[in-house]
């Protein structure tokens, strides 16, 4: 070997070592340490399902959320890498009908490894938990939501429903990873305890209030309203991108005045413009009521802490004692 070729040989040898090291790292924990079994690869479609998977899976799982922090998950589009994550996952946790791109990726790549949470908790219709004047029935609010009669996906805003989904998720994880089945069951039980405590706090905190109507920019709170005997008045429909008609804005303003609403709610991931329009019209203020479809990019909390913030906000807005 001459001196001029020596650096090339050295560079080639170095590249091989780097590639070999990369291959070793990508082969999983088992290749690096036989005592550390490979974690279950879980893909969650959006934040509340990520929260469940992380709490129940613990250190036995690796969880990837397809919806990034700060992004609105309804209209999620998957890039090729994310489709690959769905295809490679040991378990995909999703809510069928909420994110069409995820439904398609699951149907094409992971049908046998998917857990659709609607198979555990059937969805309410969009009208359930909504505002209804006595004697009017559903027909009295045909203009309230374009999706009237459709299904409301926001089941996680009822902590008791989320706990039931968690119990079933533990079973699915146990099937994928029998060695840790008892651990998954135990963590789901602990999470159920936390969610039942949260439910009790909401029940007590919203028991005695001067008002029970919540005027919201995005009709995502049907489950919360149904659980805690509130009445939801949605400015827009189930999708936060829906633009309410001038007629609908006038109707909501009338209802807000009728019920002496002091607060019009908007959410963190969507523009507050519509809520501000109604608030200005009726002399109310605005506040955040978070549907927890995803965490904002600067939110250091979790599902439990955001729900408790929602409770405090509701108690103030509804003048609860």
């Amino acid at each position: 070997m001459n001196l001029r070729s020596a650096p090339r040989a050295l560079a080639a040898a170095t590249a091989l070592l780097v590639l070999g090291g990369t291959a070793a790292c990508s082969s999983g924990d088992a290749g690096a340490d036989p005592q550390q079994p490979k974690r279950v690869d879980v893909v969650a479609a959006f934040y509340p399902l990520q929260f469940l998977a992380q709490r129940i899976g613990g250190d036995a799982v690796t969880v990837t959320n397809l919806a990034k922090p700060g992004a609105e998950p309804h209209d999620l589009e998957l890039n090729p890498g994310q489709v690959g994550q769905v295809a490679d996952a040991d378990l995909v946790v999703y809510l069928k009908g909420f994110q069409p791109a995820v439904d398609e990726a699951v149907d094409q790549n992971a049908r046998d490894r998917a857990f659709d949470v609607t198979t555990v908790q059937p969805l309410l219709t969009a009208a359930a938990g909504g505002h209804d004047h006595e004697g009017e029935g559903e027909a009295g609010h045909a203009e309230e939501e374009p999706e009237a009669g459709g299904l409301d996906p926001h089941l996680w805003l009822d902590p008791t429903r989320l706990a039931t989904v968690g119990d079933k998720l533990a079973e699915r994880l146990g099937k994928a990873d029998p060695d840790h089945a008892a651990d998954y069951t135990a963590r789901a039980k602990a999470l159920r305890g936390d969610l039942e405590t949260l439910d009790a706090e909401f029940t007590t905190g919203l028991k005695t209030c001067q008002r029970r109507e919540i005027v919201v920019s995005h009709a995502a709170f049907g489950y919360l309203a149904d659980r805690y005997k509130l009445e939801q008045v949605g400015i827009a429909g189930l999708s936060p991108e829906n633009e309410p008609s001038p007629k609908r804005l006038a109707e909501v303003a009338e209802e807000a005045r009728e019920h002496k609403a002091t607060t019009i709610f908007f959410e963190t991931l969507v523009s507050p413009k519509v809520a501000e329009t109604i608030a200005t019209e009726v002399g109310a203020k605005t506040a955040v009521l978070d549907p927890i479809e995803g965490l904002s990019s600067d939110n250091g909390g979790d599902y439990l802490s955001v729900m408790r913030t929602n409770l405090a906000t509701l108690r103030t807005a509804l003048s609860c004692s």
Side-chain angles (χ1 to χ4, degrees), residues 18-237:
V18 171
L19 287 172
T22 302
C25 290
S26 65
S27 64
D29 293 337
D33 183 354
Q35 301 304 312
Q36 295 293 326
K38 181 181 180 297
R39 293 184 177 190
V40 178
D41 182 12
V42 178
V43 168
F46 57 101
Y47 173 69
L49 305 184
Q50 175 193 3
F51 170 76
L52 280 185
Q54 289 176 328
R55 279 292 305 264
I56 295 168
D59 58 6
V61 305
T62 299
V63 182
T64 301
N65 183 356
L66 293 175
K68 304 306 179 188
E72 211 294 314
H74 281 84
D75 53 358
L76 175 70
E77 295 294 337
L78 301 183
N79 61 44
Q82 290 173 307
V83 174
Q85 289 174 325
V86 170
D88 293 340
D90 296 312
L91 183 64
V92 181
V93 187
Y94 77 118
L95 193 157
K96 189 172 184 179
F98 183 53
Q99 298 161 296
V102 176
D103 293 354
E104 182 179 357
V106 167
D107 190 53
Q108 294 180 357
N109 301 283
R111 198 180 302 178
D112 60 333
R113 289 165 286 110
F115 173 45
D116 172 13
V117 302
T118 68
T119 62
V120 179
Q121 280 292 319
L123 300 180
L124 298 177
T125 63
H131 186 71
D132 183 25
H133 282 258
E134 185 176 353
E136 283 183 340
E138 290 186 17
H141 279 278
E143 294 290 328
E144 181 159 325
E145 299 186 25
E147 304 100 327
L151 297 179
D152 182 352
H154 305 86
L155 62 86
W156 57 90
L157 292 174
D158 176 347
T160 64
R161 291 174 184 265
L162 191 64
T164 299
V165 173
D167 292 340
K168 292 299 182 181
L169 177 57
E171 292 181 14
R172 287 299 301 267
L173 284 169
K175 291 178 182 177
D177 179 20
D179 291 345
H180 294 98
D183 296 333
Y184 298 135
T185 300
R187 282 192 285 263
K189 183 177 180 180
L191 177 59
R192 172 173 281 280
D194 289 344
L195 292 172
E196 289 176 346
T197 296
L198 178 68
D199 176 57
E201 291 173 15
F202 266 80
T203 299
T204 300
L206 298 176
K207 184 175 183 179
T208 307
C209 305
Q210 291 183 18
R211 293 172 295 282
R212 305 206 71 79
E213 299 80 19
I214 54 174
V215 183
V216 295
S217 61
H218 170 201
F221 299 92
Y223 292 89
L224 187 145
D226 186 63
R227 178 69 181 170
Y228 303 112
K229 298 179 174 57
L230 303 176
E231 292 184 85
Q232 173 181 240
V233 180
I235 301 172

